[in-house]
Amino acid sequence: MSTLPRISPERAKRHYQTQLMAGMGIYVVAILTCAHYLKSTSPGPLKVTLAVLPTLPVIWIMWSLVVYLKRADELERRVHTEALSIAAGAVALFTLVYGFLEEFAAFPHVAAWWYFVAIDMVWGASCCVLWRRYK
Amino acid sequence: MKNRIRVLRAERRWTQAELAERLNVSRQTINALEAEKYDPSLPLAFSIARLFGRPLEEIFLYAGDENSARET
């Protein structure tokens, strides 16, 4: 990571946005394709592979985010780090509370992948609020 | 922390984007610095001082300095 070529923060942002859009596109195609074949696949290694395959573009997006945060300027990095901390803290707390409710108060079960979506949503909302502080 | 970045930039007739490019930061960072809503890291503060050819204390004024100056 320390040998990343030095580019301007603006260019790093554009680079990340391109990778994000490409990654999301691949993710949508992968999830639709895998969901189609999962229906007709019997339980076994192939089914497991098809179930986790759409996470590959997500891993690529997350790697792009790490690279972007390394290249971003200090204010951008600060806002994203703060927003990610808020998202991680809020969702961790929610997970704990809802886990107890699910276990002891018969609340409906929520699939684990929703927590990933929740982190993304709180992260985005926190970024919007935090940026306003610096405008 | 108060600073004179806006004045020094205006003296050189640079836009915020030009200053951002010279310092390798985003334009939003320059805007936040000039609005005194963000205090730069020490390396960025030194880069700003070097770019304008002034000592740090001529560009950045810590609010505590003003208060202590008023008291004396």
Side-chain angles (χ1 to χ4, degrees), chain A residues 36-82:
Chain A
H36 175 74
Y37 287 110
L38 272 168
K39 284 178 204 161
S40 54
T41 309
S42 47
L46 180 63
K47 192 154 192 153
V48 173
T49 308
L50 283 173
V52 297
L53 209 59
T55 60
L56 287 180
V58 178
I59 293 167
W60 183 54
I61 291 172
M62 289 179 84
W63 175 250
S64 307
L65 173 69
V66 172
V67 172
Y68 163 61
L69 288 179
K70 283 269 181 191
R71 285 169 163 168
D73 83 341
E74 57 182 55
L75 179 57
E76 255 172 290
R77 197 179 306 128
R78 181 184 175 143
V79 168
H80 280 290
T81 310
E82 248 182 274

Side-chain angles (χ1 to χ4, degrees), chain B residues 2-60:
Chain B
K2 292 186 178 301
N3 68 69
R4 297 182 61 234
I5 296 173
R6 193 188 297 270
V7 176
L8 293 166
R9 177 176 64 80
E11 281 173 8
R12 284 155 183 79
R13 297 174 192 276
W14 291 340
T15 61
Q16 284 189 339
E18 282 170 333
L19 179 57
E21 206 181 319
R22 283 167 198 267
L23 292 168
N24 199 33
V25 296
S26 66
R27 200 193 56 75
Q28 287 94 327
T29 300
I30 299 299
N31 192 48
L33 285 168
E34 289 188 356
E36 295 173 349
K37 290 187 175 178
Y38 174 64
D39 295 333
S41 66
L42 207 49
L44 179 57
F46 272 104
S47 297
I48 293 167
R50 194 170 300 148
L51 182 68
F52 288 125
R54 305 276 177 101
L56 271 182
E57 57 270 30
E58 264 186 39
I59 302 174
F60 299 99

